[in-house]
Amino acid sequence: MLGGHDYEEHHDEEDVVLLEMTQKNFETELEKFGEDDQMESSRSVKDAAMGEDPFLHNPTNKRKRYHRHTQLQIQEMEAFFKECPHPDDKQRKELSRELGLDPLQVKFWFQNKRTQLKAQHERHENAILKAQNEKLRAENMRYKEALSNTSCPNCGGPAALGEMSFDDQHLRIDNAQLRDEIERLNSVASKFAGKPWASHSRIPPCALDLGVGRALQPPQAEFLGEIYGVGDMLKSVTTEIDKPVIVELAVSAMEELCRMAHAGEPLWVPGENSMEMLNEDEYLRTYSTGIGPRILGLSFEASRETSIVAFNHLKLVDILMDVNQWSNTFCGIVSRALTLEVLSTGVGGNYNGALHVMTAEFQVPSPLVPTRENYFVRYCKQQTDRSWAVVDVSLDYLRPTPTSRTRRRPSGCLIQELPNGYSKIMWVEHVEVDDRSVHNLYKRVVTCGLAFGAKRWVATLDRQCQRLTNSSAANIPAVDICVVTGQEGRRSVMKLAERMVRSFCSGVGAASAHNWTTLSTIDSDHVRVMARKSLDDPGRPPGIVLNAATSFWIPIPPNRVFHFLRDQNTRSQWDVLSNGGLVQEMARIGNDRNPGNCVSLLRVNSTNSSQSNMLILQESCSDISGCYITYAPVDTVAMNMVLSGGDPDYVALLPSGFAILPDGPSGPDAPAGILEFGSGGSLLTVAFQILVDSVPTAKLSLGSVATVNSLIKCTVERIRAAVMCEHP
């Protein structure tokens, strides 16, 4: 049975609290500033929350001077604070009249007083949490010694994978993640405490430990664990001092984005595959370094793309500013995202002036390309009555990591309203990143900008907008007996397919939450596997799910590989689980103007009369940046309920599928047709998700791993043979 994986993250509560505390030590800097600076900071934050740009109102950036409070005023407010630290508006007004102060001065004094007491309390907690962390480190050392001496209860030799329970493997995963977290905290603490904490040695990698997949990956994977660790997706701690700086940075980034979106040569010059390239020297001469100079050792990527999208401009703004809609729409690019703090919700009942502090992890659908994690602020601003802009810019100075390995310079899009419900999109992507850990197969497609660049963002947005429009269409002509015309049934099927695709994308990449284990083979195709436990999730069958994925190059253009794999008439040539049965399309929902982009319900008619027929839900989609085919077997009774408009959330799915990317940009003489990039070859990722045991507490055996490994390698061989035979 095919399927999806259970997305899990392991965070130790004490470690998270400690890291939050370390970040909050920035707040102690409040004591170094006079009341004048605190007053101005609070006023800037107030303006930002109302959707105003305080730095635009004061272009010379000169601060208005305020008189310091008298000793009598301070004594009176101190006495009142002891009785009531949170006075209401009426109390503040009465107190301001008695002391001869403005009500806002009273309000900000109480805010700053509360912040000062909070910082003092946290310094006390710091000592306590440091002691707790030392205790945790000692416990991890004991775990290390215990694991190194693990032996088989039967023969007395080293324990093998098949003799460990699933919980034992996850305990090892937890230990590995805690060890990395403590080492990172050690580096952070040395910056704030002035001296490093005691370190400990690494646990030696096991010979065959599926749980601790990082130990079995290539050498660069150790490096990735530090950069793209699970602990980096943490709660934001922005102090009152930080917020005005964030506002100023966001306003500066918005100005830079608008200028870069409309600029021509010499800033933007023609590049490969009709893509524009940024002239870095011109950029550094023209634009101020608002987030600092280039980081030594990081390469820069910059791209720009313009397109017309058949979607309302205000709905596009909603998609970009709602983290759930944004991550769902771009699930092939955004592996996970979180809004950490909302500094401003906007004004006028919309997102004009909204400021969100966010964290996100960007991916390519392959375990061979490390994800890019960014901590940034997103700023939305209405430019005119018919145009909006949304910009992201990294907040490196707030991130508690010794060294930043990916940084998002002003990136985002301009959205202009057009007649008939259309919108014009101008997208700019500009990042600095350490891409040395990218596998050689994907080096070219990453460095040229096709993997993370503006072209992929815009192509994905265009395709998803067409999908949303068609899924909500009221009247669908019955031009084909297979087409699902009922609106409720269409909506339920599309919702189920969306969850299937989202689950596939979240499980196929190299996200930091994944612990891939590489199964080395004699050929060049290394299969990566990881185990997940599914429990109490109505959308997945219970038990142990084994993910398996591999990526390889094939000398056939992406669009041809796509049409071969999505065609039900050729499915028996590669689908091992169909057992050679005839595949028939029972129902179909078109996604856009491309007939290959659709959701299909397939029936596999078994050649064995003793076996029942199998239903498969499949979604296929392609755009100029790549192709995707995702499928999962579904229960017949449940699928009939969905086709009748029933709730699809309780249909169990374990999706598998394919991700097909071009192998790089094309030459100057290459045709401009869709997906005809690079040397004419494709980068194909094959991913299976198999339920190997229906009991979540069961032991994972080596036989299950070997079976899944054999299944995926057999599928790869069949695809190669069939495609090469059809397209010699």
Side-chain angles (χ1 to χ4, degrees), residues 459-517:
T460 301
L461 179 63
D462 184 28
R463 171 169 51 80
Q464 290 288 63
C465 287
Q466 294 182 55
R467 187 185 193 279
L468 289 172
T469 301
N470 290 342
S471 64
S472 59
N475 298 315
I476 303 297
V479 296
D480 193 315
I481 193 173
C482 292
V483 175
V484 179
T485 57
Q487 187 174 8
E488 293 299 323
R490 286 172 57 86
R491 185 180 293 111
S492 294
V493 173
M494 294 294 283
K495 185 178 179 181
L496 180 62
E498 180 184 10
R499 176 162 63 88
M500 177 180 67
V501 172
R502 189 168 62 248
S503 177
F504 170 78
C505 291
S506 67
V508 72
S512 58
H514 296 170
N515 293 278
W516 292 106
T517 295

Side-chain angles (χ1 to χ4, degrees), residues 124-307:
H124 175 68
E125 289 183 338
N126 184 40
I128 299 176
L129 292 172
K130 179 179 177 181
Q132 292 176 347
N133 194 75
E134 289 288 347
K135 180 180 177 181
L136 178 62
R137 184 185 64 81
E139 290 177 355
N140 282 335
M141 289 292 290
R142 290 195 295 271
Y143 281 132
K144 180 196 71 172
E145 295 174 358
L147 289 174
S148 62
N149 297 324
T150 302
S151 60
C152 174
N154 297 326
C155 65
L161 174 67
E163 296 162 339
M164 292 185 197
S165 68
F166 191 88
D167 290 334
D168 290 336
Q169 297 170 43
H170 269 275
L171 180 60
R172 290 194 173 194
I173 295 174
D174 290 340
N175 288 337
Q177 291 175 342
L178 286 173
R179 182 175 60 246
D180 291 341
E181 186 72 1
I182 291 172
E183 290 179 355
R184 196 165 62 84
L185 285 172
N186 183 27
S187 300
V188 175
S190 63
K191 296 173 60 179
F192 296 99
K195 59 180 181 179
W197 297 352
S199 61
H200 62 278
S201 58
R202 288 185 174 272
I203 298 176
C206 302
L208 181 60
D209 186 350
L210 184 65
V212 191
R214 298 176 65 256
L216 298 180
Q217 289 178 342
Q220 63 266 25
E222 277 299 312
F223 181 63
L224 290 179
E226 306 265 336
I227 301 175
Y228 308 96
V230 181
D232 289 339
M233 302 276 285
L234 296 174
K235 182 180 179 182
S236 171
V237 281
T238 55
T239 67
E240 294 301 314
I241 293 178
D242 295 327
K243 292 176 183 178
V245 181
I246 293 176
V247 173
E248 182 179 16
L249 181 61
V251 171
S252 175
M254 178 66 72
E255 179 184 0
E256 180 174 317
L257 173 71
C258 295
R259 292 174 60 190
M260 291 185 66
H262 293 98
E265 294 190 29
L267 182 65
W268 294 98
V269 295
E272 297 177 297
N273 196 45
S274 302
M275 298 172 62
E276 295 177 300
M277 295 179 60
L278 181 68
N279 184 333
E280 186 177 9
D281 293 336
E282 181 65 22
Y283 169 80
L284 294 176
R285 284 195 301 267
T286 306
Y287 295 92
S288 61
T289 56
I291 63 172
R294 298 285 194 193
I295 299 178
L296 187 63
L298 301 188
S299 60
F300 86 97
E301 295 176 12
S303 57
R304 182 175 65 172
E305 185 73 11
T306 301
S307 181

Side-chain angles (χ1 to χ4, degrees), residues 326-340:
W326 178 62
S327 56
N328 288 340
T329 301
F330 298 99
C331 62
I333 306 176
V334 182
S335 62
R336 56 178 178 161
L338 184 67
T339 298
L340 302 175

Side-chain angles (χ1 to χ4, degrees), residues 74-87 95 109-118:
I74 294 176
Q75 289 176 354
E76 290 293 331
M77 288 190 288
E78 289 276 6
F80 195 93
F81 184 86
K82 293 179 181 179
E83 300 294 331
C84 179
H86 293 272
L95 191 59
W109 186 92
F110 275 84
Q111 287 179 349
N112 294 333
K113 183 64 177 179
R114 291 193 296 268
T115 302
Q116 185 182 37
L117 291 180
K118 181 180 178 183

Side-chain angles (χ1 to χ4, degrees), residues 37-106:
D37 294 329
Q38 294 175 354
M39 182 73 71
E40 184 63 22
S41 298
S42 302
R43 184 173 296 277
S44 299
V45 175
K46 178 175 179 293
D47 292 341
M50 298 178 64
E52 299 178 0
D53 298 332
F55 297 93
L56 292 182
H57 295 317
N58 190 8
T60 61
N61 203 23
K62 294 182 179 178
R63 296 183 174 179
K64 181 178 178 181
R65 305 302 299 176
Y66 293 86
H67 294 294
R68 292 183 179 275
H69 303 319
T70 65
Q71 189 64 30
L72 177 61
Q73 291 171 335
I74 294 176
Q75 289 176 354
E76 290 293 331
M77 288 190 288
E78 289 276 6
F80 195 93
F81 184 86
K82 293 179 181 179
E83 300 294 331
C84 179
H86 293 272
D88 55 26
D89 290 339
K90 182 178 179 180
Q91 291 172 316
R92 288 197 300 266
K93 290 179 180 178
E94 182 178 352
L95 191 59
S96 66
R97 285 195 299 268
E98 294 177 358
L99 301 179
L101 296 173
D102 187 272
L104 281 179
Q105 289 179 293
V106 176

